[in-house]
Amino acid sequence: MRKRQAAHIEAPPQVPGQPRPNTCCLCWCGCCKCLWNEDRMERSERQTCTKMDSIEAAEEQHPSLDEVLSWSRSFEMMLRSLEGREIFREFLRSEYSEDNLLFWLACDELKKETDPSVVDEKARIIYEDYVSILSPKEVSLDSRVREGINQSLAEPSSLMYEEAQLQIYTLMHRDSFPRFLNSTVYRDLLANRRRTCLDT
């Protein structure tokens, strides 16, 4: 995969001091100005502010008690929250199922893409990374959905993984999410947020 990414990234000329165009491989390399990299860059910028700004930024980086509680009521709310996704990803990593979330996020990014050449590239990368039987990170999809994806590869579209994404969403929502809410990762965060509220 690294070779494929490197070849793809090196294709456009790089102007010194300028960011690369949005042609990366769904943000895994961190080279582009896509949504995931912008979030990472924004957090990094917040950490290099003045002392007063850094105190405010440090407080902003942690989810509030209300936000953490909202995750227990809604899987969707947790997925919409950057902090929620990061904490859920940490939990999934401990269960060796982080690839489900990464696949879901990659499909979500693909849906937003409108440039046909970028759609084609991202669709093939998702296939090679998560759907192909040769993939090291193969996600659990039923044979009917997998066959539909195989047929769509001839003419990739931004919605070609929609059914697969829904299947993985349902799996995470029904299987992983209840365990996450009972995990020490979530319970410790919730206790920490409650302590912080009591201290203030």
Side-chain angles (χ1 to χ4, degrees):
M1 172 150 139
R2 294 268 184 235
K3 289 180 185 176
R4 183 180 69 246
Q5 286 176 353
H8 179 66
I9 293 167
E10 290 169 9
Q14 176 70 25
V15 178
Q18 295 293 319
R20 294 175 192 247
N22 189 8
T23 58
C24 83
C25 50
L26 300 171
C27 320
W28 295 305
C29 61
C31 68
C32 68
K33 295 206 53 79
C34 57
L35 187 61
W36 291 103
N37 198 39
E38 286 175 3
D39 287 340
R40 185 182 61 79
M41 294 301 287
E42 189 177 305
R43 284 194 311 272
S44 174
E45 287 170 7
R46 278 192 244 145
Q47 293 171 353
T48 58
C49 302
T50 65
K51 187 172 184 173
M52 188 60 178
D53 288 341
S54 65
I55 291 169
E56 292 169 8
E59 292 172 358
E60 290 175 352
Q61 289 179 348
H62 299 291
S64 69
L65 175 60
D66 288 339
E67 186 176 4
V68 173
L69 286 170
S70 75
W71 301 342
S72 68
R73 293 185 294 272
S74 169
F75 182 60
E76 187 66 33
M77 291 279 288
M78 186 202 57
L79 285 180
R80 278 192 236 140
S81 162
L82 177 62
E83 293 88 358
R85 286 190 307 266
E86 288 176 358
I87 292 163
F88 186 56
R89 182 177 175 181
E90 177 186 331
F91 167 75
L92 291 176
R93 189 177 302 127
S94 73
E95 292 203 330
Y96 304 100
S97 57
E98 174 185 24
D99 294 328
N100 289 335
L101 181 61
L102 296 177
F103 172 76
W104 186 88
L105 292 169
C107 293
D108 214 45
E109 284 298 312
L110 178 63
K111 284 181 181 178
K112 298 172 189 170
E113 192 56 62
T114 56
D115 181 346
S117 63
V118 176
V119 167
D120 183 61
E121 177 69 17
K122 287 184 176 185
R124 292 187 191 287
I125 289 171
I126 292 171
Y127 181 81
E128 291 170 6
D129 286 352
Y130 299 104
V131 181
S132 168
I133 58 171
L134 302 175
S135 169
K137 303 185 255 185
E138 184 180 2
V139 291
S140 220
L141 298 171
D142 66 39
S143 60
R144 182 188 54 78
V145 170
R146 195 176 296 276
E147 184 56 35
I149 292 169
N150 288 338
Q151 291 172 1
S152 298
L153 278 176
E155 293 181 35
S157 78
S158 60
L159 299 176
M160 70 180 276
Y161 291 105
E162 197 166 38
E163 194 171 356
Q165 185 185 24
L166 178 61
Q167 195 171 79
I168 295 301
Y169 177 94
T170 304
L171 175 71
M172 291 189 299
H173 185 217
R174 291 184 181 165
D175 187 43
S176 303
F177 185 59
R179 287 196 311 275
F180 166 72
L181 295 177
N182 289 317
S183 71
T184 57
V185 171
Y186 179 75
R187 285 184 288 145
D188 289 351
L189 176 66
L190 188 57
N192 186 332
R193 294 292 93 211
R194 283 186 172 134
R195 272 194 306 276
T196 302
C197 284
L198 291 175
D199 291 344
T200 56

